[in-house]
């Protein structure tokens, strides 16, 4: 079901399966705010957990966080790496709760040979222009093989409309623009080719930076990473050192990003949840070390080599 954007996809998916006030929804503390924002907008309470070395949900911590109020788990396929979906699906089905994939960064990725988007009960995609498959503006989609949920998402996204001027409930205005759908229909044919090009760029980074002391991203066994972002973990002791490294790279003509510099449980918007510093040690420690290097399908070998050389030089000047 096409919708207005990825955030709306999450909000509509939650609403479609009846999640609202009094519900808890488990998700990762290191995701973009939209994941938790949609939970709050649905009237539910986000319950954060820490992540493992893949930067996706730590399954054991998810199991420990489930309570009688838990109504859904939202694993985030962060940076293009699928979360560990089989044990999460087993948990969800054992407890009778929904499993909703946040696949906004993982178009085309696979887990055990299966595409993300078909691993949970529902999945949500963003087609923001910077995504692996981006539109020319905002767009999103909810996918599911449950006909009743699909119909409910479609109804809610169109003002709760059940007939031309009949509105069976209060809904939203969140339709995928036809022009964006046309662009996406063409781009979809090229998605696997573009993702393969991203993997070649990732392989080249691994070749050039393997001895750098950086913690490079890995594609976990049975998972096919699509490298929406190429995020390395720097051997620095503080965010200030990481930021100095960024400035040195800027001086060499290399722009970098931070995804994400402050975990959600420490964001002012979620202070009402009552989490404090130290709640999720991996998310907190890594937030000051992560650095997103240039990554897109059209990067040339010379460009990747320039990034690697500049990074190695900057690390050397910092004493690493």
């Amino acid at each position: 079901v096409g919708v207005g954007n990825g955030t709306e996809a999450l909000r509509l998916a939650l609403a479609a399966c009846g999640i609202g006030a009094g519900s808890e929804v488990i998700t990762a503390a290191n995701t973009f705010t939209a994941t938790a924002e949609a939970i709050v907008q649905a009237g539910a309470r986000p319950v954060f957990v820490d992540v493992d070395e893949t930067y996706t949900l730590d399954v054991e911590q998810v199991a420990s966080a489930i309570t009688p109020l838990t109504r859904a788990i939202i694993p985030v396929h962060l940076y293009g790496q699928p979360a560990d979906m089989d044990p999460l699906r087993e948990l969800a089905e054992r407890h009778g709760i929904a499993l909703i994939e946040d696949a906004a960064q993982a178009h085309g990725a696979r887990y055990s040979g299966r595409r993300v988007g078909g691993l949970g009960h529902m999945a949500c995609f963003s087609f923001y222009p910077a995504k692996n498959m981006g539109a020319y503006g905002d767009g999103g989609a909810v996918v599911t093989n449950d006909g009743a949920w699909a119909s409910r998402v479609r109804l809610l996204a169109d003002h709760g409309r059940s007939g031309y001027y009949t509105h069976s409930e209060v809904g939203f205005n969140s339709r995928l623009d036809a022009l964006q759908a046309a662009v996406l229909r063409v781009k979809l044919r090229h998605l696997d080719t573009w993702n393969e090009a991203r993997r070649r760029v990732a392989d080249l980074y691994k070749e050039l930076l393997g001895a750098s002391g950086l913690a490079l991203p890995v594609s976990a066994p049975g998972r096919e990473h699509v490298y929406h972002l190429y995020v390395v973990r720097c051997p620095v002791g503080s965010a200030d050192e990481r930021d100095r490294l960024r400035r040195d790279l800027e001086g060499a003509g290399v722009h970098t990003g931070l995804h994400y510099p402050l975990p959600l449980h420490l964001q002012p918007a979620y202070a009402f949840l009552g989490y404090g510093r130290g709640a999720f040690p991996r998310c907190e420690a890594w937030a000051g070390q992560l650095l997103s290097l240039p990554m897109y399908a059209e990067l040339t070998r010379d460009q990747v080599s320039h990034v690697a050389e500049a990074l190695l030089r900057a690390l050397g000047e910092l004493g690493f």
Side-chain angles (χ1 to χ4, degrees), residues 89-150:
R89 178 101 186 201
E90 190 278 327
L91 274 175
E93 293 184 349
R94 189 195 326 154
H95 291 276
I97 57 183
L99 183 62
I100 302 172
E101 300 171 66
D102 183 339
Q105 298 185 6
H107 307 70
R110 288 184 173 89
Y111 174 91
S112 296
R114 294 167 289 158
R115 298 275 193 183
V116 301
L119 305 171
H121 300 115
M122 284 193 280
C124 302
F125 287 91
S126 166
F127 302 127
Y128 182 75
K131 303 298 185 184
N132 288 34
M133 192 175 83
Y136 282 1
D138 278 317
V142 178
V143 300
T144 180
N145 62 2
D146 185 301
W149 277 349

Side-chain angles (χ1 to χ4, degrees), residues 275-290:
Y275 293 107
R277 194 168 289 278
F280 308 112
R282 289 174 183 155
C283 286
E284 292 175 31
W286 294 345
Q289 299 172 333
L290 295 177

Side-chain angles (χ1 to χ4, degrees), residues 50-71:
D50 217 335
V51 295
D52 62 23
E53 287 282 343
T54 67
Y55 307 119
T56 63
L57 282 178
D58 183 315
V59 176
E60 290 184 5
Q61 292 199 28
V62 172
S64 298
I66 293 173
T67 75
L69 298 178
T70 305
R71 295 291 178 268

